[in-house]
Amino acid sequence: MTMKYTEDHEWLNVDGDTAIVGITHHAQDALGDVVFVDLPEVGKAYAQKDVAGVVESVKAAADVYMPVSGTVTEVNEALRADPALANSDPLGAGWFFKVKLSDAGQLASLMDETAYTAFEKNA
């Protein structure tokens, strides 16, 4: 599996032609206590950078962008039931959705962990 990151503070854990998507520690720190998530529709195809969902906290709401083009294959119902998972375990149990990639070449435009760490320091 390969971890990739976006400038909008989403992460992807890529395994073959499928990726699990969530928000980073930086994103959940900036939002504060997450109280609601609007997850994408399973079976719907999205283009890279489309709004795929919304995460709301006690102090703000933020769009969750599709990091790569593809079709949503699963959403995290546990996150819908307990949005605080986005805070307590953003890189694990707090994942948002799974996507089947339609253009794996788009992964090249995303950051690896080293590049994201440097980017995050200036965010």
Side-chain angles (χ1 to χ4, degrees):
M1 292 198 194
T2 303
M3 287 290 283
K4 293 286 193 172
Y5 300 85
T6 72
E7 291 183 356
D8 296 310
H9 306 286
E10 289 97 14
W11 59 264
L12 296 83
N13 195 348
V14 182
D15 185 11
D17 66 350
T18 303
I20 301 170
V21 179
I23 62 172
T24 65
H25 282 286
H26 178 89
Q28 67 84 26
D29 280 343
L31 285 165
D33 293 336
V34 175
V35 295
F36 175 78
V37 293
D38 181 21
L39 300 172
E41 181 183 333
V42 173
K44 184 172 179 182
Y46 293 85
Q48 187 177 36
K49 300 191 185 257
D50 279 355
V51 174
V54 176
V55 59
E56 294 181 13
S57 71
V58 293
K59 64 181 184 179
D63 290 332
V64 176
Y65 297 98
M66 183 61 68
V68 290
S69 297
T71 302
V72 174
T73 60
E74 185 179 344
V75 297
N76 186 353
E77 293 297 343
L79 180 65
R80 192 187 317 266
D82 183 8
L85 288 171
N87 294 118
S88 63
D89 192 10
L91 301 180
W95 62 275
F96 278 59
F97 55 89
K98 295 181 181 178
V99 61
K100 183 170 177 52
L101 310 177
S102 61
D103 182 358
Q106 292 174 337
L107 294 171
S109 69
L110 303 177
M111 294 176 273
D112 62 15
E113 188 168 0
T114 302
Y116 179 72
T117 301
F119 172 79
E120 179 183 31
K121 287 179 182 170
N122 298 316

